[in-house]
Each structure stands twice: as structure tokens, then as C-alpha cells.
Amino acid sequence: MPKKPVTDRNGLTEEQFLQSYDAGRYERPSVTVDMLIFTVMEQEQDNYRKLSEKSLQLLMIQRGEHPYLGQWALPGGFVGVDESLEDAALRELYSETNIDNVYMEQLYTWGDVGRDPRMRVISSSYIALVDRKTLDVQAGDDAADAGWFEVTYDVLESGRKELAEGYVEEQKIRITLQKEDVELTGVVAITETVQGHVRRVRREIAENHGFAFDHLKMIQYAIERLRGKVEYTDIIFNLMPPLFTLSELQRVYEIILGRELLAPAFRRKIADSVTETEEFTKDAGHRPSKLYRYRADKGSR
């Protein structure tokens, strides 16, 4: 017996409904993607006996067009009607910075009204940790310049007020990006309200000097999330060379987390993620150190 077609309250099948559907019934916002590409950069010291300094770096592009002409932004752009968010993110990253074949994770969707002066724009942000030495960054497309900025993350204020069924916690975070003679700085005010089982977080830009759009908020949130991810995932190994010392690995963790770690506790924490090799460092002026590699198959052991 033939199956009776499913119809809606107007007696229309799905095929009939789609044929008569008015795609212009609702105003359509535009969609963009923005990429937060982090690395840990090594800065060699003049004295070969000193350990090299490292710092957290973020890739930024200088806008070559209005709006925010001359200001600095995250790599990104508009999503085409026939491409996925991931495809758009990879395309825009390559066209603006010459970076290709990078694994990125979706971070957050930003939809505040008025976040783009041109029109209603919703942005999906992506985050990645990369080994900078394998990349050749070049400005392209509508970018006037592109480069790595050293990131500084400072908590200016922090307070908590207890409520009858929860609390309100407020913070002010200063983000500073530095590249040679260019300095970008701004303050993000964060208000977290918890009442019962309901949690709300509001981020507002309190100060902004040089950042385009609402990218200052994206950067603050990305660093916050990045610090959480390195605690419970192996994402940090995307930054490491094939062979590394445990001291080098610990220093990278400390740079991202923004605090020092106790060596014994750290080594217990990462024991299942690394494999000892038979190789040693050969740096002049330093005692040879054992080299390790990332254990990608640790989940199967």
C-alpha cells in the first residue's frame, strides 16, 4: 500500500512547501570567519650560555581597506554562499597570510548587533596552535601587512559579590600586543553572573587602542580558552618540534598558562604524552639533555 505523503497544516508536502517558500522573507545577516593563530616564538640571547627566551605570539593583519583602515585585525573574511565555515576559514587564512594546511578548531560565534559598521555580521572564530618555524607569513588580499605580535595578558581588577542564590564576579583584563615599534592595547571587562543553575557571561570592551572590530574580545576569550585546553588536551604539542626536552616543553606550558610550574608535578602530568628517545641535545655551552617525542598513540595503551 503506497505511503501517504506527510503534509503540514496547509496540506503541503515538503516539496510543495519548498517550491513556494519565499527565501527573502527574513533579512539575511552576513557571515564571516576570524582566525586566532597562536605560536610560541623563541628569541635567541646574545650570551650563548643563557637559555633562549620564549613568548606567546598571535598572528595579526593590518587592514588595507575601510572600515578600520590601518588598524590591526585577526585574519578573516566573508563566507561564500557555497562554502562551509571551515573551507572559508582556510581560504581566508591563506589569501591574507599565505598560511596553508593548518588544523583549526571552532572557538565561538560572535553575534552582537553593531559589531561591524557595514551591516549585520555574525562571525565564527577559529583557534590554532602552530609551529611558527614551518610557516612563511606574507600579507596578501586586502591586508596591508601581516605579522606575529607578542601577547601580554594582565588581570587589572578582580572582585566577587555573593548573591542569595549565586554570585557576580567581575574582572578587567588588559591585552597588549607588541611587534617591533607597533603596540596594540585594550581592556576587556568581564561580568560573570551565576544564579542557581543559570550562568551568564558578558564581555565588553572598556578600552581599545588599535584593534579593529570586536577582535579584542575574541583575543581575550581565545587566551582564556587556550589556557583551559592545554590543561586537558594535547593541543600544545602542535607547537613542539619532533624532538624536545622536558624543560622546553614545561616552558611552553608556563608561557601559555602565565604561571610557573613545579617540575616534578609537571613531569607526572605529561608522562603518558611523551616517549623517551636515545638522543640528546648538542647545544654548545649546555650539558646534554635527553630528548623526547610526542606519543600520539597514548590513547591505545
Side-chain angles (χ1 to χ4, degrees):
M1 184 175 181
K3 188 176 181 180
K4 184 178 180 180
V6 178
T7 59
D8 62 12
R9 68 184 67 181
N10 297 314
L12 299 176
T13 64
E14 182 173 312
E15 182 179 3
Q16 293 169 331
F17 167 78
L18 293 175
Q19 288 174 348
S20 61
Y21 183 75
D22 179 11
R25 182 178 177 184
Y26 299 101
E27 187 176 356
R28 302 181 200 175
S30 294
V31 179
T32 59
V33 285
D34 291 295
M35 284 69 73
L36 296 113
I37 312 298
F38 289 96
T39 191
V40 170
M41 183 177 177
E42 185 171 297
Q43 300 169 325
E44 294 295 339
Q45 302 297 298
D46 294 335
N47 186 338
Y48 73 90
R49 291 186 180 276
K50 292 183 179 180
L51 291 175
S52 60
E53 294 294 326
K54 299 178 186 291
S55 63
L56 184 65
Q57 307 267 324
L58 175 65
L59 183 62
M60 300 285 286
I61 61 107
Q62 187 178 34
R63 289 188 56 78
E65 299 178 351
H66 291 299
Y68 300 105
L69 176 64
Q71 295 192 31
W72 290 83
L74 297 166
F78 286 91
V79 179
V81 69
D82 294 321
E83 66 181 343
S84 69
L85 293 175
E86 290 79 5
D87 288 344
L90 293 170
R91 172 182 56 77
E92 283 290 339
L93 184 63
Y94 181 72
S95 67
E96 290 192 336
T97 67
N98 195 47
I99 292 179
D100 196 12
N101 195 31
V102 171
Y103 171 72
M104 294 184 288
E105 296 182 9
Q106 196 173 76
L107 178 68
Y108 192 74
T109 300
W110 306 84
D112 288 351
V113 176
R115 57 174 303 274
D116 190 311
R118 293 168 292 189
M119 65 188 88
R120 179 81 166 97
V121 177
I122 296 170
S123 181
S124 179
S125 58
Y126 284 78
I127 188 171
L129 278 179
V130 299
D131 181 357
R132 180 181 182 273
K133 295 189 293 293
T134 65
L135 306 176
D136 179 23
V137 174
Q138 299 175 23
D141 199 10
D142 60 352
D145 193 7
W148 296 99
F149 282 73
E150 182 175 344
V151 180
T152 304
Y153 185 101
D154 296 313
V155 179
L156 300 182
E157 299 177 17
S158 182
R160 176 172 171 139
K161 178 182 178 181
E162 299 297 329
L163 303 176
E165 297 182 0
Y167 62 87
V168 175
E169 192 167 87
E170 296 181 329
Q171 281 190 321
K172 283 191 175 179
I173 308 294
R174 180 179 297 281
I175 302 292
T176 303
L177 302 186
Q178 183 79 43
K179 181 177 79 75
E180 298 172 350
D181 59 343
V182 179
E183 182 178 274
L184 315 175
T185 185
V187 175
V188 179
I190 308 169
T191 303
E192 177 183 5
T193 304
V194 175
Q195 290 185 300
H197 299 293
V198 179
R199 175 180 178 268
R200 294 186 177 89
V201 179
R202 185 176 75 251
R203 286 177 173 81
E204 296 179 334
I205 296 177
E207 294 180 24
N208 183 11
H209 305 285
F211 293 92
F213 304 102
D214 55 354
H215 290 183
L216 177 61
K217 287 199 292 186
M218 293 188 186
I219 295 168
Q220 184 280 319
Y221 181 66
I223 296 172
E224 180 183 304
R225 284 288 302 276
L226 182 59
R227 288 179 170 182
K229 289 183 73 68
V230 300
E231 294 279 20
Y232 65 87
T233 74
D234 286 344
I235 189 174
I236 203 168
F237 288 95
N238 291 332
L239 293 171
M240 305 305 298
L243 297 178
F244 49 83
T245 68
L246 294 185
S247 294
E248 289 172 335
L249 181 61
Q250 179 175 336
R251 183 62 184 136
V252 173
Y253 268 90
E254 291 174 335
I255 289 166
I256 293 176
L257 294 174
R259 68 177 191 271
E260 292 186 0
L261 303 174
L262 295 175
F266 171 75
R267 298 192 178 201
R268 287 195 297 271
K269 172 184 172 62
I270 55 89
D272 290 339
S273 298
V274 298
T275 298
E276 182 177 336
T277 73
E278 297 302 317
E279 299 185 54
F280 292 82
T281 58
K282 300 176 182 179
D283 297 334
H286 297 290
R287 190 172 67 180
S289 299
K290 176 77 73 171
L291 290 171
Y292 293 75
R293 70 172 72 251
Y294 172 53
R295 182 191 292 177
D297 62 343
K298 69 172 188 173
S300 62
R301 298 192 176 200

